[in-house]
Amino acid sequence: MDFSKNQTKRKYDMVRSKAVSGACVALLFLLMVACFRPSIPISTGTVYPIDVFMENQTPDRPYSEIEWVAISQDDTLSAKQKADNTRMTSRGNDAQTKDLLTARLVLKAQKLGADAIMKVNYQYYTSATMEGYTMKGLAIKYRGD
């Protein structure tokens, strides 16, 4: 009878030690994941010196329109971009480039005395030999305050 109790206790101890070691491995994994930084930059919502409202957004306070501001550029395609007739995987702007373009548009609006820019629209276009973009927005000044 003592042999049966010892055997049951050993089984219980083995199960408990497996559970504890499993929990330790899980905790170690969570700590490693918490320290992980992705190698691909993910936009976390760039902060600009003035408010930026995209096409489908509007400010929640009264404003006066100043004027439309725009930036655009056309470029010829690089050799890499037109190397073959496969998919156009190397064309277009990434999120980081779009953030820089938005910053340029913000600077133009700031020079006009704008508190914000709204109806921001970004368009990218490409052809067999050219690519380019246009970004525009309406510079506005908040009223009252």
Side-chain angles (χ1 to χ4, degrees):
M1 193 148 145
D2 286 331
F3 177 74
S4 175
K5 284 183 181 179
N6 285 339
Q7 194 175 18
T8 304
K9 186 175 183 314
R10 268 192 235 137
K11 284 183 183 178
Y12 173 76
D13 288 344
M14 283 180 25
V15 168
R16 190 174 76 183
S17 77
K18 283 183 182 180
V20 169
S21 60
C24 288
V25 168
L27 181 62
L28 182 62
F29 176 75
L30 287 174
L31 288 172
M32 287 175 35
V33 169
C35 295
F36 172 74
R37 294 195 73 184
S39 60
I40 300 172
I42 298 171
S43 181
T44 56
T46 307
V47 178
Y48 300 101
I50 63 173
D51 294 331
V52 176
F53 300 97
M54 301 311 279
E55 277 182 299
N56 56 349
Q57 302 170 322
T58 56
D60 57 354
R61 40 196 292 200
Y63 61 88
S64 299
E65 297 179 1
I66 299 175
E67 70 180 67
W68 284 91
V69 291
I71 57 172
S72 64
Q73 184 172 330
D74 296 319
D75 290 317
T76 56
L77 296 178
S78 68
K80 177 184 173 189
Q81 291 174 309
K82 58 183 177 180
D84 55 27
N85 292 328
T86 60
R87 293 182 183 174
M88 297 186 291
T89 55
S90 61
R91 295 190 189 183
N93 294 322
D94 59 14
Q96 197 172 20
T97 303
K98 289 177 188 173
D99 287 344
L100 290 171
L101 296 174
T102 305
R104 286 182 48 205
L105 193 67
V106 163
L107 284 174
K108 283 185 102 169
Q110 276 187 298
K111 288 180 182 177
L112 298 172
D115 295 320
I117 188 165
M118 63 183 283
K119 298 181 183 178
V120 175
N121 176 286
Y122 169 79
Q123 291 182 328
Y124 172 81
Y125 47 91
T126 186
S127 71
T129 58
M130 300 286 292
E131 71 175 350
Y133 66 85
T134 300
M135 183 177 268
K136 66 179 182 175
L138 180 59
I140 61 173
K141 185 92 173 150
Y142 291 132
R143 287 185 292 188
D145 220 20

